[in-house]
């Protein structure tokens, strides 16, 4: 049977620089794709803008009884028989930390997927940085880039990734001092209870969390048949199945049970969970995350948003 997927061999510790260079070569293409997707998603969308304390004009609205008379815009009110209040735009920037897990398992790509999980995670992280930066938010990446509020935040994040190294697994968050939003992007294939051991303390510290689970289609449907050799990308251990098709039902049951357990535990913490497959448009996951960050939750599906 022809190979359904492949991984890039794990880099020996003595070749870390070579591995970093390979990732650095991938980042510019991911940034270009991220900007294309961000431009598509944000077209005609005002993002996270809302009424509040600030200097910039937001909108006129009818005066409500009990409001301070000092807020009335008399010039606008003189145009007709109604009294109007001049609202300003909320300008208090929020800090959002973005993280992509680039463990060896993220380098997988099957013939069913459009891109590798690593590439999709980088594109989503950079596209989200692009959209949030345009909304005036502060963007950071734990251990890689301190929060910045700048229109070129996505480009600065891409440069920081190229010059540093995103650690594998979940990020260290000791440098995050105040309550913030934390967006985690990865495949999260560890047992759900082990993942939650790391995340529960973050919720207790007041973080609002949003997890995007990246999956290759082959990881869900298990399209293998006949004699098949499976390799663990993290440890290199191998398993050979004489008739792989007889494992499909048990595998799918276990895979979805792990996902359901993880999603349920995250929602119990008040976090959001968005499964996303690499055969679906990246914009679906991007829209879902952005809506949650904006306080407009939608219904998440395996593809992103319904």
């Amino acid at each position: 049977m022809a190979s359904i997927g492949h991984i890039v061999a794990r880099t020996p510790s003595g070749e870390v620089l070579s591995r970093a260079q390979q990732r650095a070569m991938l980042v510019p293409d991911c940034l270009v794709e991220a900007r294309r997707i961000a431009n598509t998603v944000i077209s005609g969308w005002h993002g996270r803008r809302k009424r509040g304390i600030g200097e910039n004009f937001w909108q006129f609205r009818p005066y409500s009884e009990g409001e301070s008379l000092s807020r009335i815009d008399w010039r606008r009110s003189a145009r007709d028989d109604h009294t109007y209040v001049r609202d300003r735009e909320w300008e208090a920037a929020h800090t959002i930390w973005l993280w992509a897990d680039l463990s060896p398992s993220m380098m997988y790509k099957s013939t069913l997927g459009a891109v590798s999980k690593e590439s999709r995670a980088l594109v989503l992280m950079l596209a989200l940085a692009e959209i949030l930066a345009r909304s005036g938010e502060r963007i950071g990446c734990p251990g890689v880039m301190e929060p910045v509020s700048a229109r070129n935040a996505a480009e600065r994040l891409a440069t920081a990734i190229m010059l540093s190294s995103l650690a594998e697994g979940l990020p260290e968050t000791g440098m995050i001092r105040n309550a913030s939003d934390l967006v985690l992007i990865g495949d999260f294939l560890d047992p759900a209870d082990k993942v939650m051991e790391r995340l529960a303390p973050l919720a207790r510290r007041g973080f609002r969390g949003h997890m995007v689970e990246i999956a290759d289609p082959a990881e869900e449907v298990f399209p293998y048949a006949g004699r098949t050799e499976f390799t663990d990308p993290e440890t290199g251990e191998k398993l050979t199945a004489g008739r792989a098709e007889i494992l499909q039902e048990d595998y799918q049951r276990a895979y979805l049970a792990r996902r359901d357990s993880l999603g349920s535990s995250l929602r119990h913490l008040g976090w959001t969970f968005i499964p996303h497959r690499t055969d679906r448009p990246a914009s679906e996951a991007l829209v879902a995350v952005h809506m949650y960050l904006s306080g407009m939750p939608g219904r998440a599906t395996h593809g992103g948003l319904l």
Side-chain angles (χ1 to χ4, degrees):
M1 179 177 179
S3 175
I4 289 177
H6 66 278
I7 59 172
V8 177
R10 187 170 187 171
T11 305
S13 58
E15 299 178 16
V16 173
L17 178 59
S18 175
R19 176 75 179 93
Q21 290 173 336
Q22 292 175 18
R23 180 163 295 151
M25 292 173 61
L26 176 66
V27 170
D29 288 341
C30 288
L31 179 60
V32 172
E33 178 68 4
R35 283 178 169 160
R36 183 190 68 78
I37 295 169
N39 288 334
T40 300
V41 169
I42 207 169
S43 178
W45 189 1
H46 292 297
R48 290 161 55 85
R49 294 178 63 195
K50 57 184 177 180
R51 176 164 54 91
I53 301 172
E55 298 295 329
N56 296 326
F57 170 73
W58 169 246
Q59 65 180 0
F60 289 117
R61 62 175 176 81
Y63 170 79
S64 298
E65 185 176 355
E67 291 189 89
S68 172
L69 296 178
S70 64
R71 300 191 60 193
I72 296 177
D73 189 289
W74 296 107
R75 179 175 299 178
R76 173 66 183 85
S77 300
R79 297 179 189 174
D80 52 42
D81 297 331
H82 299 283
T83 303
Y84 291 93
V85 171
R86 185 183 186 90
D87 278 336
R88 296 186 176 92
E89 182 181 351
W90 179 265
E91 292 181 348
H94 189 60
T95 300
I96 301 173
W97 295 85
L98 307 177
W99 177 260
D101 175 17
L102 302 181
S103 299
S105 64
M106 291 291 291
M107 300 170 68
Y108 181 75
K109 177 189 179 301
S110 75
T111 56
L112 305 180
V115 295
S116 70
K117 294 186 291 181
E118 177 189 45
S119 176
R120 179 56 54 87
L122 285 171
V123 165
L124 286 176
M125 180 168 67
L126 294 173
L128 192 56
E130 180 79 11
I131 289 180
L132 294 173
R134 296 186 192 184
S135 300
E137 308 293 4
R138 288 164 49 84
I139 309 301
C141 182
V144 175
M145 186 181 79
E146 290 295 319
V148 297
S149 179
R151 291 281 293 185
N152 66 340
E155 183 176 344
R156 293 170 69 168
L157 177 56
T159 300
I161 293 172
M162 292 172 63
L163 298 178
S164 61
S165 176
L166 282 173
E168 298 171 2
L170 295 172
E172 294 297 331
T173 58
M175 75 293 294
I176 305 178
R177 301 299 180 186
N178 58 333
S180 307
D181 279 88
L182 178 62
V183 179
L184 303 172
I185 307 171
D187 54 14
F188 308 106
L189 292 176
D190 290 328
D193 57 343
K194 292 188 177 298
V195 176
M196 295 309 301
E197 284 179 7
R198 291 288 310 277
L199 298 184
L202 302 183
R204 290 194 291 268
R205 287 174 57 189
F207 292 166
R208 285 203 317 160
H210 314 273
M211 177 180 284
V212 182
E213 182 203 63
I214 306 295
D216 187 277
E219 293 175 326
E220 281 193 5
V221 302
F222 199 80
Y224 306 100
R227 184 178 177 82
T228 306
E229 181 182 83
F230 299 95
T231 303
D232 185 330
E234 306 285 342
T235 66
E237 294 183 5
K238 298 181 183 297
L239 171 68
T240 300
R243 295 177 56 200
E245 64 272 18
I246 67 175
L247 302 176
Q248 182 182 49
E249 186 175 340
D250 289 340
Y251 168 87
Q252 289 179 320
R253 186 183 301 111
Y255 183 89
L256 294 178
R258 177 204 55 81
R259 172 182 285 170
D260 290 343
S261 175
L262 182 58
S264 176
S265 297
L266 287 168
R267 286 187 285 270
H268 182 72
L269 293 179
W271 287 29
T272 57
F273 180 67
I274 303 167
H276 173 73
R277 286 182 15 170
T278 57
D279 61 339
R280 301 294 304 169
S283 57
E284 291 184 346
L286 184 60
V287 168
V289 177
H290 193 263
M291 289 187 70
Y292 280 121
L293 288 169
S294 303
M296 300 181 294
R299 291 179 56 203
T301 68
H302 294 341
L305 191 73
L306 270 181

